[in-house]
Amino acid sequence: MSTKQTKMNNQRKAVKTRRLAGRSFLVFAMVIFLLIIIFFAQKALFKTANGVNLSNRTQKLYNQTSIVHARRGTIYANNGQPLAENTNTYSVYAVLNHQQKDMKGNPQYVQDKARTARVLSDNLPISYEKAYQTLNPKHKTFQVEFGNAGNNISLSVKQKIQKEHLTGLNFIAQPARMYPNGVFASHIVGIASQQVDKKTKQTNLEGQMGIETSFEKYLKGTDGFRESQHDNYGYQIPSEKPKEKKPKNGKNVHTTIDPSLELLLENQMNQVDQDVHPKVLNAILMDAKTGEIKAAAQRPSFNPTTGQGLGDVWRDTLTQDLYEPGSTMKIFTMAASIDSGHYHGSDTYRSGTYKIGNQIVPDWNRNGWGTITYDKGFALSSNVAMAHLEENMGPETWKDYINRFQLLKNNSSNFDQQAMGSMQFERPIEQANTAFGQGIQVTALQMMQGFTAIANNGTMLKPRVIDKVMDAKNQQVVKSYPKKVVGHPISAATAEQMRKHMEDVVYKDYGIGHDFQIDGYRVAAKTGTAQVADDHGQYESGNDSYLYSVAGMAPAKHPRYIMYVTMKQPQLGDQPATKEIAKIFNVVMKKALDNDKNKTK
């Protein structure tokens, strides 16, 4: 083959190779172009990429949704005075980045750090040195906060700081709860505090105890939202109408608490608490005709706005503490004996001690008062008298009346969850013990309910602290809580006779309740003393190991109010317990009766 022909063949091969390469490149380019078309078509048609909804992602990028908080309902006293209402607290932060300026170029960062630190230290619980150190961090940062000192700032403090016209300080509002009366039926009203929702990360108010938690579903309301579109620079697009769902504000709860009586009760409780330092002090004033709780307080207590004292006792001791009531239980024992036809008041017995099996029932005066009548035994608060009455009735009859008075039943009255109660009732000595208030555990509210049967001629009413729930504008009643009859454990004749025996405690020369006489009113009352058991169920010893109490009603003939005061393990010294309890009972009961008299004039 000639050189010329070889050269031609090589040229043909080269052309053919270039042509094949060109075609391959064209096919490759067309495939790539087709894939690009398919890729963008998929985005246009299905609006997804890598499993992400591009439409939703774009909306989230340019749409801003803000939560519009519902206003928590207000809790009111019976005169419309707020006991718990909404407010805001604030947290403060300082912007340090010098690039932060407004539209006119004015600085929006902290310019004078020394002056800013001085203003903060004057108004917040933070020293000047600490505030200045916070404003001068070691590393460059956009903004700084001031720890706990910069949180929960009141509106008044916020306004004081803002009056100084400091640049770079900003405040974030958070919902908060205000309790304008301080220590005021605190365990009944309860407390609501800030809680962060794990899903939305929003801060909301949530009830933690008392009415605030038991009426949470009414008080909390439903949050709304506001959704608007913004451009790349964060400005709202005027042409786009924002989507909005208005919040539904919480409903308002109206209580039966009388502010003037509650305030007086709190003051008297403070006086006794300071005088004899009891471990627990409880008092309840109830309208005998309606079952409405007009005032109720306990010590230790707390200030729900500041939280001071909250760690001392979290529970509501009026409804959640079980205790042996002691001699106030004799009201029910005597009533059961009379109502069952076993009582003969002029019959006599030997006081001092009484043997049941191998056990001894002692009177508080172990020497006794000789042979006395049962009528006198009640006025003297004789345990032996009650043991005889229980024995004469028989345990089955006595237990039946305990159940009739519902002393071991949960009579929850819109308070926190109430304890049930318990008793030891197998052996004869245990049955006798319950007749004078030992070996049986009850709550203060259970006792109050039982007392209504004595005051109302045999009709027993449910205690209640809630009057009604109304809508957010207080225009419509959502739910009402009227008077509720829960039983008729005794007859009217028994109740009338029982009140006369309770008057003997106060007015007979041998009665032990003289300290509860009130000028201008006839009082029916029964005092009580019970040994306090320790954590192991053993009765403690010593002068300060008792629970003292009084249950009383007035006017005795037709009671309008019932009051019950218990004082656990006070440091009395030589002072009689009745003198201390009377500082609460007499003062508050007289005020309630005087108020009632003035209304009828």
Side-chain angles (χ1 to χ4, degrees):
M1 184 180 291
S2 65
T3 304
K4 183 177 180 181
Q5 189 175 3
T6 301
K7 187 176 181 180
M8 289 178 63
N9 287 339
N10 289 339
Q11 288 177 345
R12 288 192 192 99
K13 288 180 180 179
V15 170
K16 187 176 181 180
T17 300
R18 286 196 297 272
R19 188 177 297 157
L20 182 61
R23 289 175 179 175
S24 299
F25 179 77
L26 180 61
V27 171
F28 178 76
M30 291 177 66
V31 169
I32 295 298
F33 185 69
L34 181 62
L35 289 174
I36 292 173
I37 293 175
I38 293 172
F39 178 80
F40 283 104
Q42 182 187 21
K43 305 298 177 288
L45 291 173
F46 301 104
K47 299 181 175 63
T48 60
N50 296 326
V52 177
N53 189 305
L54 297 178
S55 177
N56 291 344
R57 178 62 63 86
T58 304
Q59 287 184 357
K60 288 181 180 179
L61 183 62
Y62 295 103
N63 290 358
Q64 291 187 7
T65 301
S66 57
I67 299 295
V68 182
H69 287 287
R71 184 175 180 82
R72 189 173 178 85
T74 300
I75 301 174
Y76 292 98
N78 68 354
N79 67 346
Q81 175 182 325
L83 302 180
E85 57 186 334
N86 267 26
T87 185
N88 282 327
T89 58
Y90 301 86
S91 56
V92 63
Y93 67 93
V95 175
L96 304 181
N97 190 309
H98 285 213
Q99 295 180 357
Q100 296 305 301
K101 298 179 180 179
D102 63 16
M103 299 293 291
K104 296 181 180 181
N106 297 319
Q108 296 295 297
Y109 55 88
V110 176
Q111 293 177 281
D112 190 338
K113 294 183 178 180
R115 181 166 173 260
T116 300
R118 177 60 60 196
V119 170
L120 291 176
S121 65
D122 288 344
N123 292 279
L124 301 179
I126 189 173
S127 65
Y128 170 82
E129 292 76 13
K130 179 66 176 176
Y132 189 78
Q133 181 183 2
T134 303
L135 291 168
N136 291 274
K138 294 180 180 180
H139 304 288
K140 213 170 188 181
T141 184
F142 182 86
Q143 68 186 47
V144 293
E145 299 174 357
F146 300 89
N148 290 333
N151 294 327
N152 296 317
I153 301 170
S154 67
L155 176 61
S156 60
V157 171
K158 169 180 174 283
Q159 291 172 338
K160 286 181 181 179
I161 296 173
Q162 288 178 320
K163 283 182 181 179
E164 300 296 328
H165 302 291
L166 297 165
T167 59
L169 288 184
N170 297 291
F171 295 86
I172 300 174
Q174 293 177 322
R177 202 66 162 161
M178 181 171 66
Y179 301 87
N181 299 293
V183 180
F184 189 95
S186 300
H187 286 82
I188 289 178
V189 175
I191 188 171
S193 59
Q194 295 176 354
Q195 303 292 319
V196 178
D197 189 298
K198 293 181 180 179
K199 292 183 179 179
T200 65
K201 306 303 181 184
Q202 294 292 318
T203 300
N204 296 302
L205 288 172
E206 187 176 312
Q208 303 299 310
M209 67 158 56
I211 294 171
E212 289 279 31
T213 185
S214 57
F215 280 76
E216 176 73 13
K217 68 176 182 178
Y218 292 111
L219 291 165
K220 68 178 181 179
T222 305
D223 289 342
F225 69 87
R226 180 181 176 85
E227 186 180 273
S228 54
Q229 288 195 329
H230 296 250
D231 61 20
N232 290 338
Y233 299 98
Y235 295 103
Q236 184 174 332
I237 302 173
S239 61
E240 295 293 337
K241 186 178 180 180
K243 296 179 182 179
E244 185 176 5
K245 180 182 178 182
K246 293 183 178 180
K248 292 183 179 179
N249 290 331
K251 299 173 178 61
N252 300 319
V253 176
H254 294 254
T255 73
T256 62
I257 299 295
D258 183 308
S260 64
L261 295 176
E262 181 66 37
L263 182 60
L264 180 61
L265 176 60
E266 298 284 358
N267 290 337
Q268 297 306 115
M269 295 276 279
N270 284 340
Q271 181 180 338
V272 173
D273 190 43
Q274 292 168 7
D275 287 347
V276 294
H277 311 291
K279 286 188 177 180
V280 181
L281 181 64
N282 286 338
I284 309 176
L285 177 73
M286 177 196 288
D287 187 323
K289 302 301 180 186
T290 65
E292 294 178 355
I293 303 293
K294 293 299 183 182
Q298 70 180 61
R299 294 293 181 275
S301 190
F302 68 97
N303 186 318
T305 297
T306 64
Q308 184 177 1
L310 186 57
D312 294 334
V313 58
W314 181 261
R315 68 192 181 281
D316 182 351
T317 57
L318 297 172
T319 63
Q320 295 176 316
D321 266 18
L322 288 172
Y323 63 97
E324 295 183 350
S327 295
T328 50
M329 185 73 181
K330 294 171 184 175
I331 295 173
F332 302 119
T333 309
M334 185 89 147
S337 181
I338 295 170
D339 200 66
S340 64
H342 292 88
Y343 187 72
H344 305 286
S346 59
D347 287 354
T348 60
Y349 72 98
R350 180 70 183 178
S351 63
T353 60
Y354 179 54
K355 191 172 184 180
I356 298 178
N358 295 323
Q359 303 292 321
I360 296 294
V361 173
D363 279 325
W364 59 269
N365 173 12
R366 292 183 70 97
N367 293 324
W369 306 272
T371 299
I372 58 175
T373 66
Y374 285 100
D375 285 348
K376 187 173 183 178
F378 180 80
L380 287 166
S381 198
S382 168
N383 293 342
V384 173
M386 296 302 111
H388 282 299
L389 293 185
E390 184 277 324
E391 190 175 54
N392 292 337
M393 279 188 288
E396 291 185 4
T397 298
W398 170 224
K399 188 175 183 180
D400 177 54
Y401 276 92
I402 290 174
N403 292 331
R404 288 193 195 187
F405 282 110
Q406 300 181 17
L407 293 175
L408 304 177
K409 183 178 179 182
N410 184 342
N411 64 341
S412 179
S413 302
N414 312 120
F415 289 85
D416 286 341
Q417 185 64 36
Q418 181 175 290
M420 291 289 289
S422 64
M423 69 175 176
Q424 297 170 308
F425 204 78
E426 292 184 6
R427 297 182 297 151
I429 187 63
E430 293 172 341
Q431 295 155 6
N433 287 342
T434 61
F436 50 86
Q438 300 278 183
I440 182 169
Q441 291 191 316
V442 296
T443 69
L445 208 63
Q446 287 169 337
M447 295 288 282
M448 284 298 289
Q449 179 172 284
F451 296 147
T452 64
I454 309 299
N456 289 314
N457 291 332
T459 298
M460 191 162 65
L461 302 179
K462 183 176 184 177
R464 57 194 178 97
V465 75
I466 305 299
D467 179 46
K468 59 192 172 185
V469 177
M470 299 192 74
D471 65 12
K473 295 182 179 180
N474 277 331
Q475 295 178 345
Q476 183 177 357
V477 176
V478 176
K479 185 167 181 154
S480 60
Y481 297 84
K483 178 174 79 172
K484 184 176 181 179
V485 175
V486 293
H488 297 84
I490 55 175
S491 68
T494 297
E496 290 175 11
Q497 189 174 342
M498 194 63 240
R499 292 198 300 273
K500 290 178 181 177
H501 287 296
M502 292 171 67
E503 286 185 73
D504 290 347
V505 173
V506 181
Y507 298 101
K508 288 290 187 181
D509 57 357
Y510 50 77
I512 61 173
H514 296 163
D515 288 330
F516 301 103
Q517 296 178 14
I518 298 176
D519 290 343
Y521 301 97
R522 191 81 174 173
V523 177
K526 180 69 189 77
T527 59
T529 304
Q531 284 183 280
V532 175
D534 59 23
D535 295 337
H536 304 289
Q538 301 298 316
Y539 288 119
E540 297 185 18
S541 59
N543 294 332
D544 299 330
S545 59
Y546 294 91
L547 181 139
Y548 302 94
S549 60
V550 68
M553 49 195 72
K557 191 171 183 179
H558 299 290
R560 176 58 194 273
Y561 294 102
I562 304 169
M563 191 165 188
Y564 185 40
V565 183
T566 62
M567 182 172 64
K568 182 179 179 181
Q569 293 177 286
Q571 300 172 27
L572 291 169
D574 296 330
Q575 177 78 330
T578 52
K579 293 286 186 186
E580 292 299 325
I581 294 176
K583 293 177 183 177
I584 300 171
F585 180 93
N586 294 22
V587 174
V588 178
M589 178 65 87
K590 188 175 191 309
K591 174 66 174 175
L593 292 167
D594 286 346
N595 288 351
D596 194 53
K597 182 186 288 187
N598 292 333
K599 288 179 183 178
T600 58
K601 285 183 178 180

